[in-house]
Amino acid sequence: MRFLNAFTAVEVSAHCDLPCGVYDPAQAKIEAQSVKACIEKYNASDDAVFKDRAISIKEERSDLVKHHLWVLWTDYFKPPHFEKYPQLHVLFNEATKLAGAGGTKGSTDVAVADQLLAKIEEISTIFWETKAAA
Amino acid sequence: MSSSRAFRPLLPIGQVIVRGRSMEPTLRDGDRILVHWGGRAEAGRVAVVRLPGDRPLSVKRLTFRDPGGWWVERDNPAEGVDSWLVGAVPEADVLAMALFRIWPDPGRITHPRRAQ
């Protein structure tokens, strides 16, 4: 059996953890957690190269948070949702701002990343309420 | 989990098939790669690793050595999971070095766009 291993291809994953084509605020949350981890590692490091890398990855992942939030905002949520949850537009606006240049993209403060995560959590709660109602 | 952790092929050379898009544009879904199990890990190379947590065998790029092992990154920032989320991969969990693509488009596995 082990001999066959040399000839049979083993599957190796290069997947995102989420199934494609499915809406889930977890996607924004994972990237926001990555942003928070980058900030923590940036603050804990004395290595200039590592810090540079942490900053560039943090900016990249902050953009991805925005992207995933925008997908939810513009593609998933429909007019009836915005009627039922009138705070949704403001929530998305605040959340995407928290991932932007005025938020985690520009800041190295862990508290900003926590605010972003809390905002995504609020959106997530509404998201799952709409799923349960559907 | 424990059985896959003990995964160790008989021959040092084998092939793997890539699933997913986290290594695009270097590797694509369905690519067959020749790998060297137990090959020497070097920064910049593509490797088969076991990511921390209950995750399947994954293909990632080794970026640099960290006190906790190897820091791994995905080539495609829009997809996937890497060390910025899960931390460094212990040395023992770096299982194989990618040698070259067998099929389709046989050839060398190149470096990513955002190389250091």
Side-chain angles (χ1 to χ4, degrees):
Chain A
M1 189 59 208
R2 283 177 63 207
F3 184 68
L4 285 174
N5 278 340
F7 305 105
T8 345
V10 178
E11 284 211 357
V12 289
S13 171
H15 275 295
C16 47
D17 271 4
L18 301 165
C20 297
V22 173
Y23 297 109
D24 193 331
Q27 229 167 338
K29 189 175 166 183
I30 286 172
E31 296 302 344
Q33 283 170 336
S34 191
V35 167
K36 185 180 174 182
C38 290
I39 292 175
E40 285 168 346
K41 285 173 195 301
Y42 170 88
N43 288 327
S45 173
D46 295 324
D47 179 334
V49 176
F50 184 90
K51 282 173 99 82
D52 273 358
R53 233 179 138 66
I55 288 285
S56 81
I57 304 271
K58 169 183 75 90
E59 291 178 358
E60 196 173 76
R61 304 295 156 92
S62 291
D63 277 338
L64 288 169
V65 172
K66 267 182 152 175
H67 166 79
H68 291 308
L69 289 174
W70 277 330
V71 169
L72 288 176
W73 193 358
T74 55
D75 296 349
Y76 171 75
F77 285 107
K78 301 284 188 284
H81 297 139
F82 292 106
E83 270 170 43
K84 189 169 177 201
Y85 301 95
Q87 74 275 37
L88 252 185
H89 282 304
V90 175
L91 269 179
F92 271 112
N93 184 265
E94 288 171 349
T96 47
K97 272 196 200 312
L98 275 168
T104 55
K105 194 172 178 183
S107 168
T108 51
D109 185 353
V110 166
V112 179
D114 281 328
Q115 287 168 31
L116 172 62
L117 280 163
K119 212 53 99 174
I120 294 170
E121 200 53 49
E122 282 187 62
I123 292 169
S124 180
T125 305
I126 294 176
F127 174 90
W128 289 109
E129 280 178 21
T130 64
K131 280 287 210 190
Chain B
M1 189 71 206
S2 56
S3 60
S4 69
R5 191 158 282 281
F7 177 83
R8 208 186 160 285
L10 185 64
L11 297 182
I13 303 292
Q15 59 164 316
V16 299
I17 184 159
V18 176
R19 288 287 167 224
R21 300 194 306 232
S22 80
M23 287 301 285
E24 286 187 2
T26 314
L27 300 176
R28 294 178 190 281
D29 186 85
D31 277 4
R32 282 173 185 269
I33 307 296
L34 198 72
V35 301
H36 180 191
W37 297 101
R40 199 163 70 89
E42 278 173 50
R45 293 190 71 176
V46 172
V48 175
V49 303
R50 194 185 309 287
L51 290 178
D54 207 2
R55 294 188 163 84
L57 288 185
S58 297
V59 58
K60 297 287 160 203
R61 192 175 293 277
L62 305 177
T63 315
F64 56 84
R65 228 183 261 271
D66 177 271
W70 278 97
W71 197 263
V72 301
E73 290 185 1
R74 61 209 202 214
D75 281 1
N76 177 4
E79 296 266 351
V81 169
D82 63 16
S83 285
W84 292 103
L85 188 63
V86 297
V89 173
E91 306 258 349
D93 286 339
V94 176
L95 303 177
M97 292 297 118
L99 299 176
F100 57 86
R101 182 186 297 105
I102 305 169
W103 185 90
D105 188 23
R108 269 175 58 98
I109 295 163
T110 52
H111 275 67
R113 292 156 296 153
R114 54 187 180 94
Q116 273 181 300

